[in-house]
Amino acid sequence: MRGSWWREGVFYQIYPRSFQDSNGDGVGDLAGITRRLDHLNDGTPASLGIDAIWISPFYRSPMKDFGYDVSDYRDIDPTFGTLGDFDRLLEEAHRRGIRVLVDLVPNHTSDQHPWFVESRSSRDNPKRNWYVWADPRRGGPPNNWRAVFGAREKRSAWTLDPATGQYYLHHFLPEQPDLNWWNEEVRRAIDDVMRFWLDRGVDGFRIDVAHSLVKDQRLRDNPRLFAKRRPRHNWELDEVHEIHRRWRRVLDEYDDRMAVAEVSSRKLANLVRYYGNDDELQMPFNFNFLRQPWSAERFRAVVEEWERLLPHHAWPDYTLSNHDRSRAASRYGPRRARVAALMLLTLRGTPFIYYGEEIGMTDVTIPPERIVDVDGRDGERTPMQWDATPNAGFSTGRPWLPMAPDAQRVNVAAQRDDPGSLFSFYRRLIRLRHGSPALRSGSYRTLPAPRGVFAYVREAEGGRYGVGLNFTDRARRVGFARPARLVLSTSTDREGSAELGEFDLAPNEGVLAQLS
Ligand code: TEU
């Protein structure tokens, strides 16, 4: 069925600098990803079993924001390889039934992109209006908008270009000038970038900063109250939805492609608007799990609100970690991270796994002399830990970021044959999900549970599963109100069944049970 692959599939995010280096320069590359595809899905229970990957940007880039500053949307940065390497990666992924999303960065380009080089060359250059230029106000920036990077220093979102005496807008680094999304030529140029990759065979896009794009045409100051939270005039304008509808039409020129939008709305009521009338992008990311403290009530509240708000055509998604945030295993600790994984992979909605999450990789403390990111995100981007060889099998050269100190112990090879490992847990869980219509696409219903326990039922014709997650450091009891057979527990090899459907949960234990 059209659309079922992204509704029923499990997604995996690859940060290409950190997955696998194939040429010894210390930076991961596309050929490296191809080499490691069997880890993701080789068609047997030995592999993780995921269905789709999202690869963070690999386009030509001066790397001020490690690829989120694109200087050519249609070519691969030499650090990562060539278009030929990309085609091979795509072919090898598809051969294994793995779909591929590429990361589209349409809010801004690099200041080295030929469009911006032209745009800044003179006030009457034909590309001047492809970016947002404005005259100084009282000798300073045109308004009070702030950049995302350097928020603590209250850095302006504007930089003066002395050559032409005007300021240009950049929501992120000064080396990432924002495109002018009021300009129809810009819209058409990005449509064509999408078609370039769709023609090459990609299955879709993850779209960066998809909530911002269009900014107030009059460049009005943001009200002070909004300065810290949601800026009113340069964030989530209604016109953004018009662009998402346009992108959906481009996707629909092709067969069964999709896009997931990076939308940082805190309020789910705002987030739900990005589903439109089933005429916008297929899903906005729901980042709310990333912001929750370890509390059953808080996670339950997010899920319940989301389930209540979603129109029938909308399909949810959930994420525990990504390249911008502290890893789940660091936020919660190893035992709880396993409970979180059980939740992620049994909820109704597409799960996104961040590379290394399946082996419990944690944030690494980066010594000051090795910090390379502009916004403190190196710790969650360290190289993937494959085995106990030098640099954990990631590279024969000096890795661009330090390897985790525990990499010799925490790695794929060490966990592969250990049935109690986190990797084995993920593999079993993903296989269970794939094998069960109830877990893949069934309905969701919260169950009554004691304080500190989040319990729910997933149900489809011919199958019913109960999930009980103990978020507390005390023993708790969960009841499914019907005979239940334990299928999986986050604790070691626990087995058993319960005639009355009641299970005693150890502290921070989660269970998955098949219900009659
Ligand atoms: O992030 C956009 C975003 O919403 C940021 O506020 C994010 O929270 C920030 O990274 C925190 O430090 C996207 C990408 O995911 C990020 O990696 C890029 O740096 C950013 O866009 C600019 O392209």
Side-chain angles (χ1 to χ4, degrees):
M1 189 190 100
R2 223 181 121 85
S4 60
W5 69 268
W6 56 265
R7 283 188 182 84
E8 302 189 1
V10 176
F11 282 61
Y12 186 95
Q13 180 190 357
I14 293 178
Y15 195 68
R17 294 183 77 81
S18 293
F19 202 57
Q20 177 65 53
D21 177 17
S22 72
N23 62 2
D25 66 357
V27 180
D29 45 43
L30 297 181
I33 298 175
T34 308
R35 219 180 92 196
R36 292 296 189 180
L37 286 172
D38 278 343
H39 166 71
L40 300 178
N41 198 341
D42 69 359
T44 78
S47 66
L48 188 56
I50 55 93
D51 305 279
I53 52 178
W54 143 36
I55 314 173
S56 280
F58 43 68
Y59 315 106
R60 269 190 193 268
S61 164
M63 302 290 167
K64 299 286 179 196
D65 189 12
F66 295 112
Y68 284 97
D69 49 326
V70 179
S71 56
D72 185 348
Y73 287 108
R74 296 160 187 253
D75 202 2
I76 309 290
D77 195 87
T79 324
F80 296 123
T82 62
L83 279 169
D85 292 332
F86 181 79
D87 291 340
R88 258 186 305 282
L89 165 55
L90 196 60
E91 193 186 318
E92 286 298 316
H94 284 167
R95 211 162 60 76
R96 290 166 177 79
I98 301 173
R99 311 270 183 152
V100 178
L101 302 193
V102 297
D103 206 321
L104 184 70
V105 190
N107 178 70
H108 45 268
T109 68
S110 158
D111 63 342
Q112 302 304 309
H113 195 292
W115 298 342
F116 189 71
V117 173
E118 269 198 54
S119 183
R120 83 187 314 175
S121 66
S122 76
R123 285 196 187 207
D124 52 14
N125 183 277
K127 291 236 163 37
R128 186 66 168 183
N129 201 27
W130 280 45
Y131 294 82
V132 186
W133 291 96
D135 289 327
R137 184 178 64 174
R138 297 190 289 275
N143 66 26
N144 70 357
W145 296 354
R146 287 187 193 155
V148 171
F149 294 146
R152 224 167 297 136
E153 297 86 349
K154 303 191 175 165
R155 224 170 276 163
S156 169
W158 297 92
T159 289
L160 179 68
D161 191 43
T164 55
Q166 284 192 310
Y167 281 83
Y168 66 87
L169 181 69
H170 55 85
H171 267 40
F172 296 90
L173 292 173
E175 292 88 352
Q176 293 168 297
D178 281 27
L179 284 162
N180 173 14
W181 275 91
W182 292 103
N183 187 338
E184 177 63 22
E185 289 177 66
V186 166
R187 297 184 182 199
R188 252 182 277 151
I190 297 294
D191 290 350
D192 287 343
V193 169
M194 293 176 81
R195 291 191 186 103
F196 174 86
W197 292 102
L198 291 166
D199 287 339
R200 260 199 137 75
V202 305
D203 299 284
F205 303 94
R206 175 268 188 187
I207 302 189
D208 192 57
V209 198
H211 54 282
S212 185
L213 307 168
V214 196
K215 286 91 189 179
D216 182 39
Q217 236 167 344
R218 287 159 51 203
L219 304 180
R220 281 171 288 186
D221 275 334
N222 279 326
R224 280 191 188 286
L225 258 180
F226 277 77
K228 270 225 242 36
R229 300 192 133 252
R230 192 170 72 92
R232 183 184 291 171
H233 293 307
N234 52 348
W235 218 245
E236 300 206 67
L237 268 57
D238 285 342
E239 284 77 7
V240 159
H241 296 277
E242 199 178 297
I243 293 168
H244 288 203
R245 285 192 289 273
R246 178 187 184 106
W247 287 339
R248 175 62 177 266
R249 288 194 296 272
V250 174
L251 290 165
D252 286 348
E253 291 167 16
Y254 298 78
D255 186 37
D256 215 9
R257 315 289 171 99
M258 65 86 68
V260 48
E262 191 208 18
V263 175
S264 65
S265 302
R266 276 168 187 271
K267 291 212 173 90
L268 291 174
N270 286 340
L271 192 61
V272 73
R273 296 184 54 209
Y274 288 85
Y275 287 100
N277 215 343
D278 199 13
D279 55 356
E280 297 197 22
L281 300 177
Q282 281 80 356
M283 301 187 286
F285 270 114
N286 178 351
F287 289 138
N288 279 34
F289 277 2
L290 290 162
R291 307 185 182 113
Q292 301 312 316
W294 191 247
S295 148
E297 286 68 29
R298 294 289 290 270
F299 280 94
R300 178 167 64 218
V302 171
V303 173
E304 286 187 335
E305 191 187 353
W306 201 216
E307 287 284 342
R308 192 173 63 245
L309 285 169
L310 289 177
H312 76 278
H313 63 77
W315 181 251
D317 62 78
Y318 295 99
T319 301
L320 290 172
S321 300
N322 64 34
H323 64 297
D324 292 331
R325 305 299 182 99
S326 168
R327 286 178 175 272
S330 289
R331 298 201 309 273
Y332 309 136
R335 199 181 164 91
R336 292 168 167 184
R338 208 178 267 230
V339 177
L342 179 56
M343 176 177 67
L344 178 78
L345 289 159
T346 56
L347 280 172
R348 191 181 81 101
T350 302
F352 282 82
I353 298 171
Y354 184 48
Y355 81 94
E357 199 172 302
E358 74 274 33
I359 52 169
M361 274 177 66
T362 48
D363 299 343
V364 174
T365 310
I366 310 291
E369 70 279 7
R370 294 207 60 184
I371 290 176
V372 287
D373 180 49
V374 291
D375 209 28
R377 298 167 295 184
D378 296 325
E380 58 262 29
R381 296 175 176 179
T382 57
M384 179 69 180
Q385 297 155 205
W386 296 106
D387 54 41
T389 63
N391 297 326
F394 164 69
S395 173
T396 53
R398 182 180 192 250
W400 74 289
L401 282 175
M403 301 300 305
D406 61 1
Q408 299 298 308
R409 192 172 46 81
V410 179
N411 58 57
V412 174
Q415 296 191 18
R416 187 175 293 126
D417 302 320
D418 172 4
S421 71
L422 186 63
F423 182 38
S424 295
F425 183 75
Y426 266 90
R427 286 184 290 190
R428 284 175 66 195
L429 197 44
I430 291 172
R431 280 181 74 79
L432 275 167
R433 187 180 169 102
H434 280 148
S436 150
L439 290 176
R440 244 167 32 222
S441 53
S443 62
Y444 165 91
R445 183 163 48 87
T446 305
L447 284 178
R451 216 156 56 81
V453 175
F454 179 21
Y456 48 90
V457 174
R458 299 290 317 284
E459 186 168 355
E461 213 169 305
R464 197 182 281 134
Y465 279 93
V467 179
L469 311 167
N470 180 4
F471 281 67
T472 74
D473 295 326
R474 308 254 176 91
R476 286 277 189 272
R477 173 165 293 186
V478 65
F480 296 119
R482 52 173 84 233
R485 184 178 66 82
L486 187 75
V487 179
L488 191 68
S489 158
T490 58
S491 305
T492 43
D493 291 333
R494 176 176 161 162
E495 272 180 37
S497 52
E499 267 314 302
L500 300 172
E502 289 200 345
F503 292 92
D504 288 315
L505 301 178
N508 290 298
E509 183 188 19
V511 294
L512 173 65
Q514 196 165 21
L515 309 184
S516 67

